[in-house]
Amino acid sequence: MDLELRHLRVVCAIADAGSVTKAASMLGLAQPALTAQLQRIERALGGLLFERDRRGARATPLGELVLARARVLLPAVKGLQDEATRLASTKDPAGRYRIGAVNGPILGGLVHRISSNHPGAQVSTHASWSASELGDQILAGKLDFVLVGACGDAPPATDNGLAWRVVAADPVFLLLPEGHHLADRDEVDLAELADAQWVAAPGDGCFSACHAAACARAGFTPKVLFETEVRGAIDLIESGDAVGLCQATLRPMAGLAAVPIVGAPLHWRQMLGWLPDGPAASVAGQVWAYAIEAYADAVRKNDRYTAWLGRHPDRRGLAL
């Protein structure tokens, strides 16, 4: 049997986990199957790689040698693959649009405009909770553009040399259950929620220093902060067990009410990023224009936000 990269990954997984059983669980394999695979690897290398007993698996001298080489070789091969992907992506920059995005109102409209205006283009999308992950995907040559958000004037969570353009900046709204006593207000003072429990979904957002600072300025410290996935957060808000924050462009949802905050103490910027010396740079201006159009459509579909903008003409600079 010839030794392959996947075999080295197995050896590293067993060493990192400390046992074959734990490594099998990490790799999504049955323990007997991983044991049999390890035995084949050991036969190919001519000796035992691990001493195994009730306390787990410990590398033998031969195992230490294999691990030392594998921990150099595997990252090197990954780097080679990333560089090759990035180089290959430069062949036809105008014919492919690979877009990564976090939660926001722009992606659907952006894809529609690219597909409509460039019928022969290959358009693909990738979703993530993490702007940093998306930035790494661009550097690895796997994405051309990223759509992310940033709270207030803070830079995007990914700081890796990308070029950035602001698509829009909006106030952050409260997300309340429809039957909440404040849900029908035109605006709600944050201090009126001093006794509320809060919920947030994972990912980059205003639920960190920005939210805590806004609450402190309103004279209170948030009591409870639940963290769960989006569906769980919606369920907690809808049941009246928590309140949350949302983007002003959030499409209306049955059972929930997005309500502006007095003074708009929190803001969220929608941003488009790309590699300035990469193949996407040649079409970045057009993609940015499409993103602005998509954002404007999202605003027009949201009556409550449109009404808020009408009451605050001085704030229209925040949008677009």
Side-chain angles (χ1 to χ4, degrees), residues 6-96:
R6 61 188 178 92
H7 299 141
L8 298 181
R9 294 190 184 99
V10 165
V11 175
C12 289
I14 294 172
D16 291 341
S19 77
V20 175
T21 301
K22 291 179 181 178
S25 177
M26 288 168 49
L27 296 171
L29 299 173
Q31 188 269 335
L34 185 59
T35 298
Q37 189 171 1
L38 175 60
Q39 290 170 345
R40 289 194 296 272
I41 296 170
E42 289 177 327
R43 285 196 297 271
L45 291 171
L48 293 178
L49 300 181
F50 295 96
E51 295 177 355
R52 302 191 290 278
D53 54 31
R54 289 179 300 175
R55 292 177 294 174
R58 295 175 304 283
T60 64
L62 177 59
E64 293 285 0
L65 171 65
V66 173
L67 283 167
R69 300 295 177 86
R71 296 194 193 284
V72 173
L73 181 60
L74 290 174
V77 172
K78 176 63 166 57
L80 171 62
Q81 290 174 326
D82 289 345
E83 288 182 25
T85 300
R86 182 170 171 180
L87 180 61
S89 71
T90 64
K91 291 181 179 179
D92 186 15
R96 181 171 59 188

Side-chain angles (χ1 to χ4, degrees), residues 226-251:
F226 300 112
E227 182 174 313
T228 180
E229 38 73 39
V230 172
R231 183 65 255 181
I234 290 173
D235 288 342
L236 282 169
I237 295 172
E238 197 171 23
S239 66
D241 293 306
V243 300
L245 299 176
C246 68
Q247 297 179 35
T249 50
L250 178 71
R251 186 168 294 188

Side-chain angles (χ1 to χ4, degrees), residues 103-229:
N103 184 39
I106 297 171
L107 182 62
L110 176 58
V111 169
H112 173 72
R113 282 166 173 78
I114 294 173
S115 299
S116 298
N117 290 286
H118 307 275
Q122 298 176 2
V123 184
S124 61
T125 61
H126 175 77
S128 174
W129 289 111
S130 168
S132 294
E133 178 193 332
L134 294 177
D136 290 342
Q137 295 275 343
I138 281 194
L139 293 179
K142 297 177 180 178
L143 292 174
D144 300 307
F145 297 96
V146 291
L147 282 167
V148 304
C151 192
D153 296 324
T158 175
D159 183 16
N160 44 21
L162 300 188
W164 294 101
R165 285 285 188 94
V166 176
V167 177
D170 304 299
V172 173
F173 282 8
L174 297 167
L175 193 59
L176 306 176
E178 202 169 44
H180 195 281
H181 68 283
L182 300 175
D184 292 330
R185 295 268 197 91
D186 287 337
E187 295 183 1
V188 171
D189 193 315
L190 199 56
E192 295 183 77
L193 293 168
D195 295 325
Q197 299 187 122
W198 295 83
V199 64
D204 307 314
C206 285
F207 257 122
S208 55
C210 297
H211 176 247
C215 291
R217 289 193 296 270
F220 72 96
T221 300
K223 281 189 173 182
V224 178
L225 177 59
F226 300 112
E227 182 174 313
T228 180
E229 38 73 39

